[in-house]
Every structure is written in structure tokens, then in C-alpha cells.
């Protein structure tokens, strides 16, 4: 075996041990660093992916909810408009019916009055003629 710097074989063993220790330390440090980096990257990626998924899911749920609310409001508005139209139609139909009935009643009353008046005038005229004929 060759002699170390101090002239003994012990120096060679010490140098080899130091080199092996440095190599082992470097390898262990690299492995630990890689493991820590991988773990941190995985954790960060998982957290970011989870947050993005939750945000997308929430946004989709809100969009569906908004669409549903718009649909409900559309039908509620349509129902209110239909009710208003129906009420207006009923009111207009009722008013037209009342007006037609009133006109028919007025016409019938006027005709009956005219017939009665004519009959009364005729009776008075006949009475007057009879009186004149008698005198």
C-alpha cells in the first residue's frame, strides 16, 4: 500500500474515508433534495389542481343555477303576463256583453213603447172619430 502525505498508510485510509464520506454525503443530500422537491412540487400541483377543479365546479354550478333562475323568472313573468291578458280579455268581453245587452234591452223597450204609443194614439183617434160621427 502506498504511503499517505504523512508517510504512513493511515493517511491513505483517511483520504479514502473522507472521499467516500463526501460522496455518500453528496448522494444523500441529492436524494433528500430530490425527494423534498418532488414532494413540494406534488403538493403544490395537487393543491393548484384541486383549487382549479373546485373553482370550475363552482362556476358550472352557479351557471346552472343562474340559468334555472332565469328560466323560472321567464315562466313567472309569462304567467303574470298571461294572467293580466286573461283579466283584460274577461273585462273587455264582459263590458261588450253588457253593452250589447243594454242596447238590445233599450231597442226592445223603445219598440214596445212605440207600439203602445201608436195603439194609444189610434184609440184616441178612433174615439174622436166615433164622437164626431155621433155628433
Amino acid at each position: 500500500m502506498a504511503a499517505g502525505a504523512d508517510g504512513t498508510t493511515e493517511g491513505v485510509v483517511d483520504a479514502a474515508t473522507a472521499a467516500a464520506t463526501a460522496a455518500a454525503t453528496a448522494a444523500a443530500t441529492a436524494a433528500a433534495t430530490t425527494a423534498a422537491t418532488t414532494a413540494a412540487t406534488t403538493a403544490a400541483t395537487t393543491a393548484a389542481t384541486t383549487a382549479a377543479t373546485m373553482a370550475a365546479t363552482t362556476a358550472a354550478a352557479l351557471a346552472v343555477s343562474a340559468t334555472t333562475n332565469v328560466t323560472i323568472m321567464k315562466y313567472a313573468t309569462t304567467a303574470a303576463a298571461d294572467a293580466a291578458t286573461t283579466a283584460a280579455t274577461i273585462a273587455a268581453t264582459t263590458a261588450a256583453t253588457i253593452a250589447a245587452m243594454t242596447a238590445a234591452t233599450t231597442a226592445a223597450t223603445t219598440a214596445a213603447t212605440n207600439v203602445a204609443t201608436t195603439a194609444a194614439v189610434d184609440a184616441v183617434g178612433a174615439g174622436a172619430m166615433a164622437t164626431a160621427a155621433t155628433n
Side-chain angles (χ1 to χ4, degrees):
M1 181 175 268
D6 62 357
T8 66
T9 56
E10 239 178 72
V12 173
V13 172
D14 288 344
T17 301
T21 301
T25 301
T29 301
T33 301
T34 300
T37 302
T38 301
T41 302
T42 300
T45 302
T46 300
T49 302
T50 301
T53 302
M54 290 175 70
T57 303
T58 301
L62 289 174
V64 169
S65 177
T67 301
T68 302
N69 288 340
V70 166
T71 301
I72 290 169
M73 290 306 295
K74 181 177 90 174
Y75 286 118
T77 302
T78 301
D82 288 348
T85 301
T86 301
T89 301
I90 290 170
T93 303
T94 302
T97 301
I98 290 170
M101 291 173 72
T102 301
T105 302
T106 301
T109 302
T110 301
T113 302
N114 288 342
V115 168
T117 302
T118 301
V121 169
D122 286 348
V124 169
M129 291 172 76
T131 300
T134 303
N135 287 334

